[in-house]
Amino acid sequence: MAGFTSPNTNHIDFITIASKGDATDFGDTLGNYQAQGRAMSPTRGLAAGNYGASNLIEFITIATTGNSTDFGDRTIAAFSASGTSDNTRGVFTGGQNPSASNVIDFVTMASAGNATDFGDLVTANGSSHADTSDSCLLYTSDAADERSSVDLGG
């Protein structure tokens, strides 16, 4: 969904990976955003937070173009959080408001609702990267040269 550019935007674009071509308009986010954490499943795309600190999580239905919809709230308001998923759970880590956070939140991607506190990162961080395997989240932090993993219980 919206990227890390100035000024903030509400544009959602998509491409069809199977064929070359330019991006096409998908729809709009609920506001003008940047610095969101993202998580995806085969059916939904989620984005959490906003530059300026927000706890909003919104979603799109991947099979149908259109605007995003309110999914629920993170347990903290933050921007620059990381997001990832294992197709069942969407996980958001860290973020800033105004200082770095160590919070790990998760949502069940199939049903809208508020995030639940999963646990804490080893080091609070406002700028990080996350990815998952079937049952493990790998988290790396730019600021602290940190590499950690979290068992997602899969």
Side-chain angles (χ1 to χ4, degrees):
M1 297 206 239
F4 196 82
T5 61
S6 183
N8 299 352
T9 72
N10 69 338
H11 301 292
I12 306 170
D13 292 339
F14 77 98
I15 60 167
T16 302
I17 294 174
S19 59
K20 293 180 182 180
D22 294 337
T24 304
D25 183 47
F26 187 95
D28 295 329
T29 58
L30 296 173
N32 292 330
Y33 301 141
Q34 69 176 10
Q36 295 177 299
R38 294 168 186 86
M40 303 277 292
S41 77
T43 56
R44 285 188 167 170
L46 276 63
N50 179 23
Y51 193 74
S54 168
N55 67 343
L56 175 68
I57 303 170
E58 56 188 290
F59 78 97
I60 56 168
T61 302
I62 292 172
T64 309
T65 59
N67 297 336
S68 66
T69 304
D70 189 344
F71 183 92
D73 295 327
R74 278 195 74 191
T75 63
I76 62 167
F79 66 94
S80 289
S82 289
T84 192
S85 66
D86 68 354
N87 295 333
T88 302
R89 286 184 171 173
V91 180
F92 301 100
T93 62
Q96 289 187 219
N97 180 19
S99 58
S101 168
N102 69 343
V103 171
I104 304 171
D105 286 338
F106 80 93
V107 294
T108 301
M109 296 187 65
S111 52
N114 293 334
T116 301
D117 185 18
F118 187 93
D120 295 327
L121 296 170
V122 173
T123 304
N125 195 288
S127 179
S128 59
H129 309 280
D131 207 348
T132 55
S133 68
D134 290 338
S135 62
C136 179
L137 174 140
L138 176 64
Y139 163 86
T140 60
S141 165
D142 291 338
D145 193 27
E146 173 187 339
R147 291 166 188 84
S148 300
S149 63
V150 176
D151 183 353
L152 296 177

